[in-house]
Amino acid sequence: PSHDTTEQKMNEWIMTSLRTQEGLPISAIRTTFGAARTAELENNLKPFLQQGLVIHNADHYLLTREGRLRADGIAAACFINAERSTFNV
């Protein structure tokens, strides 16, 4: 049986959905993981928005072409709480 924490599940969702064409579905993340964790995620995405590596399109955050080249580092920098890594982006 899996003993994943809420943060681990959210981080897995970030890592997986950020790479998809649809991107990160913010309202679904808010519904599943709560407003505080969603706010932390959106705050973690701000530098990448400013750098043009991520765009906000309606209810989703999507990687740009350049962002897709740095997907692992961006996802890791967006991880919630203790699992945040220090990948170079």
Side-chain angles (χ1 to χ4, degrees):
S2 176
H3 297 289
D4 288 348
T5 66
T6 300
E7 286 81 11
Q8 287 171 326
K9 289 176 185 173
M10 184 169 175
N11 292 341
E12 198 172 292
W13 196 347
I14 291 168
M15 184 67 96
T16 305
S17 64
L18 195 58
R19 288 184 170 80
T20 67
Q21 190 171 354
E22 294 79 23
L24 281 168
I26 289 303
S27 64
I29 288 174
R30 187 176 293 110
T31 299
T32 305
F33 298 105
R37 286 187 183 96
T38 303
E40 183 179 346
L41 170 61
E42 290 188 288
N43 189 56
N44 293 343
L45 284 164
K46 282 181 186 175
F48 304 110
L49 285 162
Q50 293 166 351
Q51 294 169 42
L53 299 173
V54 174
I55 58 171
H56 189 203
N57 182 4
D59 184 49
H60 292 77
Y61 285 94
L62 307 153
L63 293 172
T64 62
R65 171 177 254 162
E66 182 69 21
R68 283 194 296 271
L69 298 175
R70 302 174 185 196
D72 287 346
I74 292 170
C78 291
F79 282 173
I80 302 304
N81 292 333
E83 290 204 20
R84 189 169 302 132
S85 295
T86 53
F87 279 87
N88 291 326
V89 178

